[in-house]
Amino acid sequence: MPSSPSTAPAWTKAAWFKPVVIAVAAIVVLAIVVLLAKWLRSTTGVQQFIATYPGHAALPGDTPTGLPAWLNWSHFFNMFFIVLIVRSGLQVRYTTRPQGYWKRNNKGLVKTKGQPKKISLDLWFHLSLDALWVLNGLIYVILLFSTGQWKRVVPTSWDVFPHAVSVAIQYASLDWPLEDGWVNYNALQLLAYFVTVFIAAPLAILTGLRMSGAWPAKAARLNKAYPIEVARRMHFPIAIYFVVFVIVHVFLVLTTGALRNLNHMFAANDGESWLGFGFFAAAVVVIVAAWFLARPLFLRPIASLMGSVTRN
């Protein structure tokens, strides 16, 4: 017999209540922000402010134009590793019964005095991805500064801040600024990329390193100055920052001239052909495939090349 309303699980309504309230509140807040931005843009003072600071801070005269192919490849690998790092990080955080364990072979170039500790297969995968992400980041930073591309993502004048405020008002009013990322990112983009590359990424590395087995456990002064609890409190919010950044980044790429933006990021050209979209679609297929293949069945043979793998 069908259950009566009185016998329906009470948690069903409660489970839906909070997400619905949050969603409604978010819509209301966004509506208020849009209306406020539109009102601000109707005032003479803000109109003059936007005319003075349209959104693009001036770049040094020798700044290179365009995005080279190495930057496209670095962007793909960064995208690939970030997605899988978030996936594996969530598994490490929320999995109570790992489906496998890994212990490093204390041989080869990397040796320790003590015996290596056994860790979950999820944690091994997360740390391995972290190492590859850091390597990709080091190559990116080296090329960034050796080619002059750093001038596109590092503020070089204080007027970047009023330009960024102007861009924020323009975005919020839904009357978006003109984009030409091939030549010059808008000030808000520039600051977002700077924070992500030079602040959020190093913090993610430092907090992750503090929680890893590679951190010197017997360094009393260092551990007192940088307690592991601080790293734990910071690491997850930093991961949330990366997730939010990626969502906003992808949304703006697809809504501010998708074909041209995808050519910038994946095909190293400023055209509006479908080439960049094709490379982007292929990248998504590769990442989705890696997401589903990142399971113990496929990870165990790879992990066994660097250590011993057990089920408990």
Side-chain angles (χ1 to χ4, degrees), residues 101-150:
Y101 292 87
W102 176 84
K103 181 186 287 187
R104 178 175 59 83
N105 291 330
N106 203 15
K107 301 176 181 179
L109 296 176
V110 181
K111 295 181 181 180
T112 55
K113 293 182 179 179
Q115 285 297 318
K117 294 182 180 179
K118 183 187 294 185
I119 61 176
S120 71
L121 197 60
D122 293 330
L123 182 55
W124 165 82
F125 186 47
H126 187 69
L127 294 175
S128 300
L129 290 168
D130 286 342
L132 293 172
W133 178 64
V134 171
L135 176 61
N136 181 62
L138 287 174
I139 295 172
Y140 166 78
V141 170
I142 291 171
L143 290 173
L144 195 72
F145 282 95
S146 62
T147 61
Q149 285 285 337
W150 67 270

Side-chain angles (χ1 to χ4, degrees), residues 49-116:
F49 175 76
I50 292 177
T52 304
Y53 299 101
H56 293 79
L59 296 175
D62 57 346
T63 302
T65 298
L67 302 176
W70 67 260
L71 196 56
N72 292 169
W73 278 103
S74 179
H75 181 270
F76 162 71
F77 283 120
N78 190 57
M79 171 180 166
F80 179 85
F81 291 134
I82 284 291
V83 170
L84 294 181
I85 284 171
V86 170
R87 180 190 190 278
S88 59
L90 291 174
Q91 288 178 312
V92 170
R93 185 178 178 89
Y94 294 111
T95 299
T96 55
R97 298 183 63 182
Q99 298 183 42
Y101 292 87
W102 176 84
K103 181 186 287 187
R104 178 175 59 83
N105 291 330
N106 203 15
K107 301 176 181 179
L109 296 176
V110 181
K111 295 181 181 180
T112 55
K113 293 182 179 179
Q115 285 297 318

Side-chain angles (χ1 to χ4, degrees), residues 112-296:
T112 55
K113 293 182 179 179
Q115 285 297 318
K117 294 182 180 179
K118 183 187 294 185
I119 61 176
S120 71
L121 197 60
D122 293 330
L123 182 55
W124 165 82
F125 186 47
H126 187 69
L127 294 175
S128 300
L129 290 168
D130 286 342
L132 293 172
W133 178 64
V134 171
L135 176 61
N136 181 62
L138 287 174
I139 295 172
Y140 166 78
V141 170
I142 291 171
L143 290 173
L144 195 72
F145 282 95
S146 62
T147 61
Q149 285 285 337
W150 67 270
K151 297 167 188 174
R152 292 167 52 88
V153 294
V154 176
T156 56
S157 62
W158 289 105
D159 66 350
V160 67
F161 295 104
H163 277 291
V165 172
S166 172
V167 172
I169 295 172
Q170 293 176 66
Y171 276 137
S173 68
L174 304 183
D175 184 6
W176 293 357
L178 296 175
E179 299 292 344
D180 191 6
W182 188 253
V183 177
N184 188 3
Y185 296 128
N186 72 53
L188 203 56
Q189 282 179 295
L190 188 154
L191 290 176
Y193 293 151
F194 175 79
V195 169
T196 301
V197 174
F198 297 104
I199 298 179
L203 284 176
I205 295 169
L206 289 173
T207 54
L209 182 63
R210 179 64 182 90
M211 295 186 296
S212 75
W215 189 265
K218 297 182 179 180
R221 291 184 178 180
L222 183 60
N223 292 336
K224 184 178 180 180
Y226 184 21
I228 191 170
E229 292 78 14
V230 173
R232 286 173 177 162
R233 284 196 297 267
M234 294 175 63
H235 197 67
F236 188 67
I238 293 169
I240 296 298
Y241 167 83
F242 275 103
V243 172
V244 173
F245 173 83
V246 169
I247 292 173
V248 174
H249 179 60
V250 172
F251 173 76
L252 290 176
V253 165
L254 298 179
T255 55
T256 59
L259 291 180
R260 191 179 181 197
N261 289 334
L262 291 174
N263 275 319
H264 292 177
M265 299 162 63
F266 290 92
N269 72 71
D270 191 32
E272 296 187 2
S273 70
W274 288 83
L275 181 62
F277 176 83
F279 287 143
F280 169 70
V284 170
V285 170
V286 170
I287 292 170
V288 170
W291 179 285
F292 285 101
L293 291 174
R295 302 173 185 276

